[in-house]
Each structure stands twice: as structure tokens, then as C-alpha cells.
Amino acid sequence: MRVIIAGGGTGGHLFPGIAIAEELKMRDPDTEVIFVGTEHGIEARVIPREGYPIRFLAAEGLVGVSLVRKVRSIFKMFFSLFDSRRILKEVKPDIVIGVGGYASFGTALMATLMSIPLMIVEQNSVPGLANRLLG
């Protein structure tokens, strides 16, 4: 089985994704897990250290930033959709798991549009913006 885990930006999104990856690998060592995130999020440093491949896309946070950065984030979201489509076509996952955060939105949305099974994981008591929109 080939799985994409999309998300990051913060450890609160990333570390549950790593726990899911470890559980999947424990249950079936032949499972391929590929992470999708951003080059400037925590995932860019942590995922390679954990031994998983990671693919990068253009995305930025939208919540709690200035109006200029919000506009830039929305603009980058469109690029993240193109990046996500390219990654999904190349990797051909059996399922995409969105763990939240701005890095998950484009990949999860594109998986749905491409009829790839999607699972959204929400580990917080109040869902974040990306998971609320995807839900």
C-alpha cells in the first residue's frame, strides 16, 4: 500500500502524522509512506530525520497574519493545488491522510477531486481551518 500523509506547519499536526506512519509500517512493513508538506515548516527538518521521504509544495498559513500575508497565502494556495496534483499523479497513492495545517489543504482537496480516498485526522478538540473546510 502507498500512503501520502499531508500536513504540518506545526508539531501538533506533524507528530500525529508520524505516529500514523509508524503504526502503518508496524502493521505492514511493505507500506510506503510519503509525507507532503512545505519547505519552511517543521516537517522539512523532522521528516527526513525520521527516515521518511517528503515532497514539498507551496503553501503558507492564513490565520493570524496580516492582510498582505493573507492575500499572498491565498495566491500560494492555487500553486499548492498544482503542486498537489503533480505529486499525486507521480506517487499514485492508495489513500491520502490529511493531518491538518495549511500544508494539508491542497493535497487533501486535490485527492478528493481526483477520486483518491481521503481520511482527515483531527487531533484537537476544535478543528483547524483546513480540516473545517475539508470536512
Side-chain angles (χ1 to χ4, degrees):
M1 178 166 62
R2 187 172 290 151
V3 178
I4 283 182
I5 298 178
T10 68
H13 296 296
L14 181 65
F15 291 111
I18 292 171
I20 292 168
E22 290 173 356
E23 182 67 24
L24 291 171
K25 294 291 281 182
M26 185 180 76
R27 290 178 184 225
D28 181 3
D30 292 331
T31 299
E32 286 182 68
V33 179
I34 299 99
F35 281 80
V36 174
T38 67
E39 291 180 332
H40 55 271
I42 188 174
E43 61 273 18
R45 295 181 310 279
V46 173
I47 293 303
R49 187 177 71 212
E50 293 294 320
Y52 294 102
I54 184 166
R55 303 290 299 270
F56 296 113
L57 48 75
E60 282 187 13
L62 188 64
V63 178
V65 295
S66 69
L67 180 60
V68 172
R69 292 204 51 198
K70 283 185 193 304
V71 170
R72 189 170 79 183
S73 297
I74 292 169
F75 186 69
K76 278 192 171 186
M77 180 189 64
F78 290 107
F79 286 109
S80 79
L81 292 173
F82 292 112
D83 291 342
S84 297
R85 186 175 182 349
R86 177 182 43 79
I87 291 167
L88 291 170
K89 287 184 88 147
E90 289 172 5
V91 173
K92 296 180 177 67
D94 296 300
I95 188 168
V96 171
I97 302 173
V99 293
Y102 57 86
S104 72
F105 183 77
T107 306
L109 179 61
M110 193 53 66
T112 300
L113 295 174
M114 294 173 68
S115 299
I116 298 170
L118 170 67
M119 178 175 24
I120 299 171
V121 176
E122 182 55 64
Q123 55 279 355
N124 299 308
S125 60
V126 177
L129 179 61
N131 280 354
R132 281 196 315 264
L133 292 172
L134 291 165

